Amino acid sequence: MNLFVNMSTSHSSWSVLLVIYNLPPRLCMKRKYMVMSMMISGPKQPRNDIDVYLSPLIEDLMLMWD
């Protein structure tokens, strides 16, 4: 995601979207049924450390599931 329209920037932003797949196929990828749960920003991409960012989200989803 390039926020500042500058391709030579060293900043990186990643959006984490939740999609409801329990809807009909024509609806599940519509914008109003997607939820942006977090933005990961930093000087570079998270690479293999993405689990550090996603673990609080996974814990919250597990609580909602129960």
Side-chain angles (χ1 to χ4, degrees):
M1 188 174 210
N2 189 355
L3 298 176
F4 305 110
V5 193
N6 184 358
M7 298 306 272
S8 64
T9 185
S10 62
H11 188 78
S12 175
S13 296
W14 293 71
S15 59
V16 178
L17 298 173
L18 298 177
V19 178
I20 303 169
Y21 281 121
N22 219 8
L23 296 171
R26 70 186 194 298
L27 294 177
C28 71
M29 295 306 278
K30 299 283 184 181
R31 181 181 285 183
K32 70 179 186 177
Y33 297 113
M34 291 184 187
V35 177
M36 187 171 80
S37 61
M38 70 174 68
M39 283 288 288
I40 302 172
S41 64
K44 57 185 178 181
Q45 63 186 3
R47 299 191 189 253
N48 292 336
D49 297 331
I50 196 148
D51 58 336
V52 173
Y53 295 103
L54 294 180
S55 62
L57 174 64
I58 292 171
E59 290 172 6
D60 288 345
L61 290 173
M62 295 294 281
L63 281 174
M64 286 192 296
W65 184 263
D66 291 337

